[in-house]
Amino acid sequence: LIPSLSSRFPDVPIVAAGGFADGRGLAAALTLGADAIAMGSRFATTAESPLASQTKDAVSSLDIDGGSIESDTIYGKNFDGIPARVLQTPVSVKLNAKPASFPLVVYRALLAARSMNIPLWKVLPGLITQWDKMYMVAQFGAATDALRAATIDGDLEEHGVQFIGQCQGLIGDVPLVDELVQRIMREAHEVASSNASLLEIAEKD
């Protein structure tokens, strides 16, 4: 997709997203024709990020026997109504097992609306006149407590659900943003130089 887009729209900056967390990914994206990369999960797991420290530690714990690797994620839409990937935890497994019943979703959404000082009269009419759209919105509203528990409280065992990318298998520390950027640039340069050397060898042969 990236080479196709860069060829068709050469004057449009392309930011590649999804699965990037180190210099190798940056070098690969630039080679394919991207101008930059977006790294949501990687920057969320940095020292300056407001994400709860317990959640940062869980994401950056690279251990095939109990830590967070590429396969320790769940992709689905049962949690909040929108297809997304989340960190695999007892809570996320349970909430993604099947869609929540409509009465439960409405109840949780109303509680969420109340906590955000949204008048109930603004929520109820939509549930009646725009069933499908409001059901999805209600699901997301119902998920706010679980998201808050993970991102703010660091509770991944009993209440929290954390959005994450599969690149969590590449995240093994919680560095300062400046350290991370410098590392990624250094890695990308090393990869580019190594690949250039391989091409030179191939040309000589």
Side-chain angles (χ1 to χ4, degrees), residues 48-129:
E48 294 93 330
S49 166
L51 186 65
S53 59
Q54 301 94 321
T55 302
K56 292 181 188 180
D57 292 340
V59 173
S60 62
S61 175
L62 289 178
D63 181 2
I64 198 169
D65 296 317
S68 300
I69 58 175
E70 297 86 354
S71 59
D72 294 324
T73 63
I74 302 174
Y75 183 81
K77 65 176 183 178
N78 288 340
F79 166 55
D80 65 355
I82 303 173
R85 189 176 300 279
V86 297
L87 181 66
Q88 181 175 314
T89 64
V91 183
S92 64
V93 170
K94 179 181 179 181
L95 294 179
N96 273 287
K98 61 180 180 180
S101 64
F102 185 72
L104 179 59
V105 168
V106 172
Y107 172 72
R108 290 177 178 172
L110 293 178
L111 289 180
R114 181 179 299 173
S115 68
M116 292 183 284
N117 295 319
I118 300 175
L120 298 184
W121 62 266
K122 288 187 176 182
V123 178
L124 293 175
L127 291 173
I128 299 173
T129 60

Side-chain angles (χ1 to χ4, degrees), residues 94-192:
K94 179 181 179 181
L95 294 179
N96 273 287
K98 61 180 180 180
S101 64
F102 185 72
L104 179 59
V105 168
V106 172
Y107 172 72
R108 290 177 178 172
L110 293 178
L111 289 180
R114 181 179 299 173
S115 68
M116 292 183 284
N117 295 319
I118 300 175
L120 298 184
W121 62 266
K122 288 187 176 182
V123 178
L124 293 175
L127 291 173
I128 299 173
T129 60
Q130 300 184 50
W131 176 277
D132 293 339
K133 293 180 180 179
M134 287 304 297
Y135 179 66
M136 184 172 68
V137 173
Q139 278 187 291
F140 188 78
T144 55
D145 283 344
L147 296 174
R148 187 181 296 110
T151 59
I152 298 177
D153 302 330
D155 178 2
L156 296 174
E157 293 299 322
E158 297 185 13
H159 302 100
V161 176
Q162 176 63 41
F163 289 124
I164 198 71
Q166 275 189 302
C167 66
Q168 74 170 7
L170 299 173
I171 300 173
D173 60 357
V174 185
L176 293 169
V177 170
D178 182 64
E179 293 175 355
L180 175 63
V181 172
Q182 296 302 324
R183 180 202 307 170
I184 288 174
M185 296 301 293
R186 183 173 62 254
E187 291 173 349
H189 181 74
E190 292 173 352
V191 170

